[in-house]
């Protein structure tokens, strides 16, 4: 069966062990999670997880059903039509062409966010695919460190 | 009212109507055991192993329909109990298992008898809790009982650090349960039910596929009425044995890997499967792509995750099977034309005639199937039948004349050897007036043999009938059939205890049986004496459980008779 990329959002009660309950469903089936973000939902006792995974449709559907079954889980969204964004921070040596890097970042909704004596840090925020493109493009400027945030998503 | 966490545990158990707790004390749970000593609201039965405490609680729960309760200590006490939790999880048995934990200040320090209990139990419980403050205890225990027994039932594990059981806090058990994120669907969708009923009325070869959910839902009376009003034939899963009476004309038998030829053929020929509280387990379906190939499927289950998990349902209905069946009966009323099914019933009758469930008697040796039938003839409805796991278990499911739900107690999903004896103790505790029989094998019985002490001491007269073929018989059968008779580590002929001396050293009674007459005498004697018994029956060594659908094969491709001598 074809593997498809999936984005799932899960609203959970913000309590100890709830994250393990969710991730156990993936690990127990030998499924890798590509990215996972968690943060509290404002003014509530809930948190929102955004999970990006890929796998057979049958197993993904089963995981979604099992997610529904977990006691501290309020809602599970399997996104079809969504807005998805991801952030990345990249550190470059100051010896690189800083203005080029700044221009490129701007094309990906980003900018230079920190300038130090030896390094600069650039932030971009865009669709995950475009973030990957940016990271590819800037390889020539010898990035020293890269961190991606993982996706967050909202249904349109 | 202010009280300690330990006292809260006692008060909550009493408030939940618990009359029996199975358990084993230890360091981290001592505060609670101290309160058990002081109270008289329930009985505590000291098992001789934590695994047995959980299996006993399972047997109690299965026989009574109530939540079973087990209590254990931290570390090894807990890890010993994990098999029981997993067993209950697989078979949807309502349990609350309370374990001690090292004090909060020591958690995460590799303290003595410390293990991350909730980390381990997460994947084999319906839900679990680590209690970090005594004031949370009333809410958590109340939720634990509710979660265990509602929706699709299952085990709930509550881990309580030792300092929390000593901590004083306010106890109020009257607060209502407020679980915003847990609301099981009980009532089936009425439009879906109508559609399903139309499908039933229009089917030519419909078939009830009855599963263990019926027992959990206490719906066997309703199912009996539904089956008899429609005249539609039924097959039962292993977990559903006893839903219909064994002599119900519309009951074909059990289906699946060791189901009857007629049951499996009916499933292969039906045009409408009416699955009630069944989950299309691989031991039932065989090769999925060939399962009920010609049929549409109505699937009623309380667990949405069970529906279309393995086999696509054309009429999915999420809800409690009892309510759904009552609604179906209302809706179907007089729309059933029984004459419609006459050719279908004739087809099934022919299947039954062609290859009935049977075995060949042999001169001078007891056949294991005979023992099961004989217990049925002698005790019938008066006995509850627990089993261990293996050949004897399948023969019990095939040949015992079950007359009611909750009569057959066995480990279906997990297939836990060592389940039967402690479960039969729990069954005896729940249903004192009936005889509690554990049908077991010479392999399984040794997996919780220490429970002889519990049974004798706590006066739980379980009669263990060992079908002794001096083999790990089911594995031996597979080795014979699929591994070219290489009987690797399954021949127990040089590894047998003296069962009679064994049971007598614990204060029970043993019987050695090699003839049918001896068996009758032994069973009658054990029943009359009302004692803990081991009846060691020497049976034909190389008997195979038949029919058999080889693993991954299609239901209609059965091996029918053993050729091995």
């Amino acid at each position: 069966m074809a593997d498809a990329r999936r984005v799932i959002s899960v609203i959970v009660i913000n309590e100890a062990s709830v994250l393990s309950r969710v991730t156990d469903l993936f690990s127990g089936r030998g499924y890798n999670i590509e990215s996972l973000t968690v943060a509290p939902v404002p003014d509530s006792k809930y948190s929102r997880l955004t999970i990006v995974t890929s796998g057979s449709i049958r197993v993904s559907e089963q995981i979604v059903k099992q997610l529904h079954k977990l006691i501290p889980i309020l809602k599970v969204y399997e996104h079809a039509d969504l807005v998805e964004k991801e952030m990345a921070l990249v550190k470059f040596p100051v010896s690189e062409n800083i203005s080029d890097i700044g221009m490129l970042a701007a094309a990906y909704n980003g900018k230079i966010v920190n300038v130090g004596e030896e390094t600069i840090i650039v932030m971009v925020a865009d669709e995950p695919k475009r973030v990957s493109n940016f990271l590819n493009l800037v390889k020539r400027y010898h990035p020293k460190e890269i961190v991606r945030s993982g996706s967050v998503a909202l249904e349109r | 009212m202010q009280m300690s966490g330990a006292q809260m545990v006692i008060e909550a158990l009493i408030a939940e109507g618990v009359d029996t707790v199975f358990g084993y004390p230890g360091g981290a749970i001592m505060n609670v055991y101290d309160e058990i000593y002081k109270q008289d609201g329930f009985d505590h039965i000291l098992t001789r192993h934590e695994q047995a405490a959980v299996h006993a609680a399972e047997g109690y729960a299965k026989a009574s329909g109530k939540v079973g309760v087990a209590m254990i200590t931290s570390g090894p006490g807990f890890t010993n109990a994990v098999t029981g939790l997993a067993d209950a999880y697989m078979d949807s048995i309502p349990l609350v298992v309370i374990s001690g934990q090292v004090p909060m200040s020591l958690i995460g320090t590799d303290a003595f008898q410390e293990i991350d209990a909730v980390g381990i139990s997460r994947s084999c419980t319906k839900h679990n809790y680590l209690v970090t403050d005594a004031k949370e205890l009333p809410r958590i225990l109340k939720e634990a009982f509710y979660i265990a027994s509602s929706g699709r039932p299952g085990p709930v594990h509550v881990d309580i650090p030792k300092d929390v059981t000593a901590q004083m806090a306010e106890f109020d058990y009257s607060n209502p349960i407020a679980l915003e994120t847990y609301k099981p669907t009980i009532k089936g969708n009425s439009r879906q039910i109508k559609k399903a009923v139309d499908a039933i009325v229009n089917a030519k070869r419909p078939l009830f596929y009855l599963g263990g959910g019926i027992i959990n839902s206490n719906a066997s009376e309703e199912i009996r009425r539904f089956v008899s009003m429609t005249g539609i034939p039924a097959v039962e899963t292993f977990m559903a044995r006893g839903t219909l009476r064994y002599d119900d004309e519309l009951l074909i038998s059990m289906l699946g890997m060791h189901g009857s030829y007629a049951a499996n053929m009916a499933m292969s020929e039906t045009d409408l499967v009416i699955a009630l509280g069944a989950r299309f387990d691989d031991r039932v379906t065989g090769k999925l792509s060939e399962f009920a190939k010609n049929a549409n499927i109505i699937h009623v289950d309380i667990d949405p995750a069970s529906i279309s998990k393995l086999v696509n349902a054309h009429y999915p209905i999420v809800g409690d099977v009892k309510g759904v069946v009552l609604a179906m009966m209302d809706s179907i009323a007089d729309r059933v034309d029984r004459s419609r099914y006459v050719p279908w019933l004739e087809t099934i009758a022919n299947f039954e005639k062609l290859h009935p469930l049977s075995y060949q008697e042999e001169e001078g040796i007891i056949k294991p199937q005979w023992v099961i039938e004989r217990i049925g003839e002698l005790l019938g409805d008066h006995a509850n039948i627990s089993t261990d796991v293996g050949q004897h278990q399948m023969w019990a499911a095939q040949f015992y004349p079950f007359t009611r739900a909750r009569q057959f107690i066995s480990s279906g999903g997990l297939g836990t050897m060592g389940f039967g004896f402690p479960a039969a103790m729990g069954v005896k505790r729940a249903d004192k007036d009936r005889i509690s029989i554990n049908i077991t094998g010479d392999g399984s019985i040794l997996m919780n043999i220490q429970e002889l002490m519990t049974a004798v001491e706590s006066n739980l007269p379980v009669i263990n009938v060992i079908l002794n073929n001096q083999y790990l018989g089911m594995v031996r059968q597979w080795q014979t059939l699929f591994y070219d008779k290489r009987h690797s580590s399954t021949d127990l002929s040089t590894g047998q205890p003296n069962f009679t001396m064994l049971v007598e050293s614990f204060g029970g009674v043993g019987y050695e049986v090699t003839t049918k007459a001896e068996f009758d005498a032994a069973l009658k004697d054990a029943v009359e004496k009302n004692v803990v018994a081991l009846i060691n029956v020497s049976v034909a060594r190389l008997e195979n459980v038949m029919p058999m659908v080889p693993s991954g094969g299609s239901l209609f491709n059965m091996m029918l008779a053993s050729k091995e001598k």
Side-chain angles (χ1 to χ4, degrees), chain B residues 11 20 47 52 113 134 143 175-176 196 201 213 231 258 266 278 285 297 314 329-330 404 468 475 519 537 542:
Chain B
E11 291 303 320
T20 309
T47 59
Q113 294 195 328
E143 284 179 8
N175 291 325
V201 172
H258 293 298
T285 60
I297 290 173
H314 306 82
M329 280 198 275
D330 274 351
R404 60 194 153 80
N468 191 336
V475 181
F519 179 74
V537 189
L542 293 174

Side-chain angles (χ1 to χ4, degrees), chain A residues 11-13 15 17 20-21 24 45-46 58 61-62 65-66 68-74, chain B residues 89 122-123 126-129 147 152 179-182 303-305 307-312:
Chain A
I11 313 290
V12 302
I13 294 179
E15 64 179 22
S17 86
S20 316
R21 292 184 203 279
D24 276 2
K45 57 177 183 179
Y46 296 108
R58 179 161 222 128
E61 278 176 359
Q62 185 57 23
K65 283 184 176 178
Q66 296 289 346
H68 278 288
K69 266 175 84 170
L70 293 175
I71 309 290
I73 285 190
L74 183 70
Chain B
Y89 187 54
R122 197 176 295 131
S123 57
K126 184 170 173 186
H127 196 48
N128 63 11
Y129 296 90
I147 291 171
R152 178 175 177 176
L179 284 162
E180 284 170 64
T181 57
Y182 173 71
D303 177 9
I307 292 179
S308 296
K309 175 173 68 175
L310 294 157
V311 172
N312 190 44

Side-chain angles (χ1 to χ4, degrees), chain A residues 3-83:
Chain A
D3 284 5
R5 183 175 186 275
R6 298 210 148 200
V7 182
I8 302 166
S9 293
V10 191
I11 313 290
V12 302
I13 294 179
N14 186 357
E15 64 179 22
S17 86
V18 68
L19 184 59
S20 316
R21 292 184 203 279
V22 171
T23 55
D24 276 2
L25 290 179
F26 290 84
S27 58
R29 290 169 172 77
Y31 264 47
N32 196 15
I33 293 175
E34 248 168 55
S35 83
L36 176 136
T37 61
V38 196
V41 175
D43 303 320
S44 79
K45 57 177 183 179
Y46 296 108
S47 286
R48 183 173 180 124
L49 281 72
T50 311
I51 301 168
V52 179
T53 182
S54 62
S56 79
I57 291 167
R58 179 161 222 128
V59 176
S60 305
E61 278 176 359
Q62 185 57 23
I63 288 176
V64 167
K65 283 184 176 178
Q66 296 289 346
L67 281 170
H68 278 288
K69 266 175 84 170
L70 293 175
I71 309 290
I73 285 190
L74 183 70
K75 271 184 193 153
V76 184
Y77 302 100
E78 253 190 304
H79 296 299
D81 187 19
L82 70 161
V83 174

